[in-house]
Structure formats: structure tokens, C-alpha cells
Amino acid sequence: IQSFFSWFQSHNGYIDTASMDVIQLPLSEGGRGAVALRDIPEGHTVFSIPRSLVLSTRTSVLPSRVRLHEGWSGLILCMMWEAAQGSASKWSAYLDILPSTFDTPMFWNDVDLAELQGTSVVEKLGRDQAEKDYNEKVLPAVHSRPDLFVKEDIPTRYSLETYHLMGSRILSRSFTLEREEVQEDEEEEKLPEETSADDIDVANTSIGSAMDVDAPSAQETHTEEHENHAHEREEVAAEVVMIPLADILNARYETENVKLFYEPDCLKMVSTKPIKAGEQMYWNTYGDLPNAELLRAYGHIDYLPLPNGGFGNPGDVAELRADLLVQCLRIDWWLRKEAMTLPSFSSVDIPPALLAFTRLLRSDDEWDRAKSKGKLPKPKADADTLWIVQEALKRRLAAYPTTLEEDTELAKSIDALSLNQRHALVVRMGEKRVLEMFRAKTTEMLQSIELAEKQEKEKESAVAKARERQRKTAERVGKRGRGPMSVCGTSTEKTHSGIDRVQQDYSAIVRDHYREVILQEDLVGHLVLCHDCFLFLG
């Protein structure tokens, strides 16, 4: 690492070597990381990187000699070419310290990949798309310029294996710069010296790359371009770049203590809170991601104490695909499988989008209204909708080869597992916890609805019975005619004098026997209670 530091400083990079160093760590903790050598106060600049050291399709010499595809495949080819130049490359010292092996599922064998069955990881690996881009975009460019790409180097320097390696380096360690900002950087002068830290923009995070500079938040930038490490669009709104040294810092859930700030001519890593000597410097460059995303893109997981016991990642989520809801309704004739992927969820409340979309699926009327208005139905949690959601959750859980209980038992011997097996176990347990939590939630909501419906039916039944009694009593009274009469040997005149007491008794009995059903006195007369009969006298 010292040769890298020397190279970095010789190219106008700044490192506070009295405050920080880079050390080797276990693979499960990232393999390498930056630690504080002394107590560091908040607001301290730990290191800064000149923009001239940023490696991209704009700074590499290659794009000036051959036309490249924009985006990931173009940057991958630049990195392959720069590496092939050896010590002649400006970034040779940087490329030498980048990892040559990865623990991401992209490089797992079939046996280990089987451990991830049912999770959202496997379908997002993008291996097929990566190979398609390699064959359709990279190889043609390589073969078109034998003067730049030596034929003998193609099986090694420009092989598919090397392409995957460079792609994984980009996926786990890259940054993105907004095109608009890149152009401004080339045109604007350096900020005045009196510019304060508050006036400097802060680098934001991304799910698909290590970090976004000048970009929206992590959740807003999770696009297909980032999900597949070799997939790019012809129209690219941001430039993918590699920034030496900044990519060495590790991340951990809610432990960030430094952040990258930038000026037109450099990027500065600044402490955001006091850091004690010996503590690792954490920068959550890709946000507080769930373990499934951490493993897929970066090859590691967070294994922390959970609020309700056990270990895992407090930020774990589970994805419920729209096509699974369609299968539960058996109406896939009007919705393609890839038409919609519901947002991941990790809170206690069922996502409104899930409820609204499910209602859309189960009702032709809702579907017609949605088409005419251009928006989803209201997210109402009625019984029919919840039954469908619960069935979808049941099927989602059935996609795993093991249950949460079985995984929990296996986790008791987690130290005996291989690194890949351990990572896969923790990922699927995290997803299952979320799914089980939501299944319990829908069950609770359904039971609440069923109880309310039962009480409503009992209430309606009580009202109906009471009204039937009223009708029969009225018929009997009508046949006897008006005037004083005897009820169970009691004169009606005497009964009239105690009518208030009788009405109070009547109300109490109705509450006890008919669940507080209030009977309407729709006949003219006085109500008299005689055993369990209601009589109306004119």
C-alpha cells in the first residue's frame, strides 16, 4: 500500500498519514480498510483526490484513439487497456491494488448459487447481459484496432474472464458524475479560497456503484444500468468513474463517520463526527442497503444484532414481484411478467402500491377506471385484497428450499460454514424474516376484518329479530283494539305508571342480549316488558 501512497502523493493527492492508514482485514469485513491512527475531530480532511486522478472514459487516452460505447462497457474496456499497458499506464499503481478476486455471487459455482435459491440475488446477477455486451460491444472494438489491442493479448488481457473482473471492480468501487457537472468542471474556475465547507456540495450515494457524486439519492438512482454490471444505455446521463483511495473505505449499517465533498478541482474525504484512534473509517457510499444487495454488488453482508433478537441486517427487505400476484389471480393474459416489480418493503405497514396494484388486478371495473384516469386504485386493505396478498406471500416463501426455522437452526453453527454458505444463509434469513412479518401482519388484519364482519352480522340479526317481534306484537295489539288491557294479569293503567322503569330494564336487556342494538319505536304507543315479549299499547 505504501507504493500506492507514493504514487498518489506524486500526482498531487493529499493524505494525512498522521491521521489514517490502510490495513488488511478479514475477507468477511472487506479485506482492506482505513483506520484512524489518532483521535480525529469532526470536519477534518483525511485525504483529497485531484480530479486528474479520476479514471474514466474522459480521462483515459484510449477514447481519443477508438470509438467506445458510453457507460459501463466503455469504462471496462478502458480499464482493460490501461491494465495491459503495465507501468506505462498513468493508473498502474492504482490498478495493481484493486482486488483480483471477488466473493460476489457472479463468481460463485452452481453449488453455492443453489444456496441463494428463492432470494432476489440470482436473477439480478446479469451474467447473460454482461456476456452479451462483451461479445457485441467490446470484442468488435478490440478486433477493429490490432494496433491498439495486441492480438496475443486478447485471450488474456481482453478475455471474458477479465471483462467480468473489471466489471466487478466497477460495480463495487465506482462513482458516478453527472454529465452536466463534468462539463461545468471543465469550464469553471476553482472556487474562491474563502468558500466554506457549507458551500461545497456533498457526494451522495448509489446502490449500483460505490458512490454517486453530484447525483440523486441512493434509492432514486437504482436503475437497470447499475443492476447489471455490464449493462449501459446509449444515452447516459452520468459518467461512471473510478476514484483512487476513496474506494478503499468500507461501509457498515448506520456507522458512517466520513463523507466525500467535492470542489471543481478535487474531492475531499471529511470526517462527519469524531473518530477515535483505532476505529475504522466508514463511509456508506451506497447507503444502508439490505444484505441481498450488499452481497450481489459488493460481496459482503452486515451481521449485526437485531432489535427483536438474533443477528442480521436491520435494513433487510423482501421483494414481491407483480407477476406473483398475477399468478394468484390467474389473469396473466393481460400483464407481462416483467411489467411491474413492486417496491421492496421493510416497514410494518403494507406498501400502498402493493394494495393498490392488487385491487387493480382483481377487479375489471378498477382496471377500466385505472386506464381511463391513468392512476392506480385507492390502496384499500379490504378482505379480498388481503387474501391475495397473503397467498402471494405464501408462494414467495415457498420459493426457498428451506424454512426460516430450519435456517435459524443452521445459523447456530454458522462459523462452521464456508464464507459463501454463510453469506447465502444470512441473506435468505433476512428476506424470510420480512416476508414472515408481513404474512403475520396480513393474517392479523384479516382476523380483525372477519371479527368486525361477524359482529356486524350479529348486530343485523339482532335488529331483524327485534323488528319481527315488534311486528307480531303490533298485530296482536291491533286485534285486541285500543284501550286498557291486562298484560300477564297486570292492568295497563298500573303498567303506565312504571313505564320509565320498564324502559330502563328494556335497554339493559337489549345491551346484554343484542350487543347494544337500539330498537326503533316505529309504532305509536308505550313499550311494556312482559317476560321476553315486547308489547306496544295504543
Side-chain angles (χ1 to χ4, degrees), residues 34-305:
V35 295
L37 298 179
R38 63 179 180 85
D39 290 350
I40 298 176
E42 180 180 349
H44 181 75
T45 299
V46 183
F47 59 82
S48 64
I49 311 105
R51 293 225 175 196
S52 59
L53 277 188
V54 171
L55 173 55
S56 70
T57 55
R58 183 175 57 88
T59 58
S60 173
V61 176
L62 183 63
S64 64
R65 302 181 181 182
V66 63
R67 179 179 174 82
L68 300 177
H69 285 274
E70 291 185 318
W72 289 66
S73 61
L75 180 56
I76 291 174
L77 184 54
C78 278
M79 291 180 64
M80 295 167 79
W81 184 79
E82 292 288 351
Q85 306 313 301
S87 59
S89 170
K90 175 181 177 179
W91 290 276
S92 61
Y94 169 57
L95 293 171
D96 287 343
I97 69 165
L98 290 178
S100 56
T101 59
F102 284 87
D103 294 316
T104 57
M106 172 70 77
F107 298 95
W108 288 15
N109 58 41
D110 292 340
V111 175
D112 286 342
L113 279 178
E115 297 289 326
L116 290 170
Q117 180 181 334
T119 69
S120 59
V121 176
V122 178
E123 64 182 17
K124 293 182 178 181
L125 292 181
R127 190 193 299 272
D128 292 340
Q129 181 64 49
E131 294 183 5
K132 182 174 184 291
D133 287 344
Y134 171 76
N135 290 316
E136 295 181 359
K137 298 176 180 179
V138 174
L139 273 186
V142 170
H143 289 304
S144 69
R145 293 295 301 273
D147 57 320
L148 293 175
F149 308 101
V150 181
K151 184 177 180 180
E152 290 74 21
D153 286 345
I154 295 178
T156 54
R157 301 284 192 178
Y158 304 102
S159 66
L160 178 60
E161 181 181 358
T162 304
Y163 182 82
H164 281 313
L165 174 63
M166 293 299 183
S168 293
R169 286 175 171 178
I170 294 173
L171 179 65
S172 62
R173 310 173 81 85
S174 67
F175 299 66
T176 59
L177 290 171
E178 290 291 325
R179 284 288 188 191
E180 197 172 290
E181 295 293 339
V182 171
Q183 293 171 359
E184 288 177 2
D185 290 343
E186 295 173 344
E187 298 170 359
E188 292 180 353
E189 296 180 356
K190 182 178 179 180
L191 290 174
E193 291 185 3
E194 63 269 17
T195 302
S196 67
D198 293 336
D199 297 323
I200 303 175
D201 290 323
V202 182
N204 292 319
T205 60
S206 167
I207 287 179
S209 62
M211 191 281 283
D212 277 352
V213 182
D214 320 344
S217 66
Q219 298 300 323
E220 293 170 347
T221 55
H222 188 188
T223 64
E224 284 298 322
E225 177 183 48
H226 294 131
E227 288 181 357
N228 298 325
H229 80 267
H231 176 71
E232 78 274 353
R233 299 170 179 168
E234 293 301 322
E235 296 294 330
V236 182
E239 181 184 30
V240 183
V241 302
M242 302 292 288
I243 302 182
L245 189 56
D247 57 9
I248 287 180
L249 274 64
N250 291 317
R252 194 177 187 186
Y253 186 83
E254 293 187 348
T255 56
E256 181 176 87
N257 51 22
V258 294
K259 187 178 285 291
L260 196 71
F261 294 77
Y262 71 91
E263 294 180 353
D265 63 339
C266 71
L267 302 168
K268 291 183 177 181
M269 190 65 72
V270 181
S271 58
T272 56
K273 61 180 66 173
I275 306 173
K276 293 186 177 299
E279 288 184 348
Q280 190 174 168
M281 296 180 190
Y282 289 109
W283 178 34
N284 289 9
T285 52
Y286 33 78
D288 292 324
L289 299 181
N291 275 336
E293 194 63 30
L294 290 176
L295 179 61
R296 181 192 70 84
Y298 310 104
H300 71 86
I301 58 171
D302 281 341
Y303 196 61
L304 309 170

Side-chain angles (χ1 to χ4, degrees), residues 217-486:
S217 66
Q219 298 300 323
E220 293 170 347
T221 55
H222 188 188
T223 64
E224 284 298 322
E225 177 183 48
H226 294 131
E227 288 181 357
N228 298 325
H229 80 267
H231 176 71
E232 78 274 353
R233 299 170 179 168
E234 293 301 322
E235 296 294 330
V236 182
E239 181 184 30
V240 183
V241 302
M242 302 292 288
I243 302 182
L245 189 56
D247 57 9
I248 287 180
L249 274 64
N250 291 317
R252 194 177 187 186
Y253 186 83
E254 293 187 348
T255 56
E256 181 176 87
N257 51 22
V258 294
K259 187 178 285 291
L260 196 71
F261 294 77
Y262 71 91
E263 294 180 353
D265 63 339
C266 71
L267 302 168
K268 291 183 177 181
M269 190 65 72
V270 181
S271 58
T272 56
K273 61 180 66 173
I275 306 173
K276 293 186 177 299
E279 288 184 348
Q280 190 174 168
M281 296 180 190
Y282 289 109
W283 178 34
N284 289 9
T285 52
Y286 33 78
D288 292 324
L289 299 181
N291 275 336
E293 194 63 30
L294 290 176
L295 179 61
R296 181 192 70 84
Y298 310 104
H300 71 86
I301 58 171
D302 281 341
Y303 196 61
L304 309 170
L306 298 174
N308 298 324
F311 291 83
N313 185 337
D316 274 338
V317 300
E319 295 183 0
L320 192 63
R321 289 177 58 95
D323 61 300
L324 190 57
L325 293 168
V326 173
Q327 292 172 20
C328 295
L329 288 164
R330 296 183 176 85
I331 53 175
D332 55 326
W333 50 270
W334 56 268
L335 184 68
R336 294 188 301 109
K337 181 177 180 180
E338 298 82 12
M340 176 180 178
T341 299
L342 294 177
S344 303
F345 48 83
S346 58
S347 62
V348 176
D349 296 327
I350 296 179
L354 174 57
L355 296 173
F357 185 67
T358 304
R359 290 191 66 205
L360 176 67
L361 295 181
R362 48 172 278 256
S363 171
D364 289 340
D365 291 339
E366 294 285 8
W367 173 252
D368 292 336
R369 279 195 292 269
K371 286 200 299 183
S372 63
K373 294 182 178 181
K375 61 181 182 180
L376 291 173
K378 293 182 179 180
K380 182 181 178 182
D382 55 73
D384 290 340
T385 299
L386 289 174
W387 276 115
I388 296 169
V389 171
Q390 189 176 61
E391 177 62 23
L393 290 169
K394 178 181 176 182
R395 296 191 184 195
R396 178 71 175 81
L397 282 163
Y400 300 98
T402 57
T403 64
L404 179 57
E405 291 74 17
E406 291 171 336
D407 284 347
T408 302
E409 186 64 26
L410 181 60
K412 294 178 181 179
S413 305
I414 194 169
D415 291 336
L417 303 177
S418 69
L419 184 62
N420 290 353
Q421 289 174 330
R422 175 183 175 180
H423 285 172
L425 174 64
V426 175
V427 167
R428 63 178 188 257
M429 285 181 67
E431 291 188 354
K432 289 175 187 177
R433 286 192 187 103
V434 176
L435 292 169
E436 290 286 7
M437 177 183 70
F438 274 85
R439 187 162 71 163
K441 179 69 173 180
T442 56
T443 299
E444 176 187 341
M445 295 173 71
L446 281 169
Q447 290 174 345
S448 178
I449 291 174
E450 290 173 357
L451 178 60
E453 290 177 347
K454 180 181 179 182
Q455 291 176 340
E456 182 64 27
K457 288 180 180 178
E458 290 177 349
K459 180 178 178 180
E460 292 175 354
S461 176
V463 170
K465 289 180 179 179
R467 287 180 175 172
E468 180 62 18
R469 289 175 184 270
Q470 290 178 357
R471 185 187 64 77
K472 291 181 179 180
T473 300
E475 289 179 353
R476 289 198 298 271
V477 171
K479 291 179 180 179
R480 296 178 182 180
R482 293 178 177 272
M485 63 174 292
S486 174

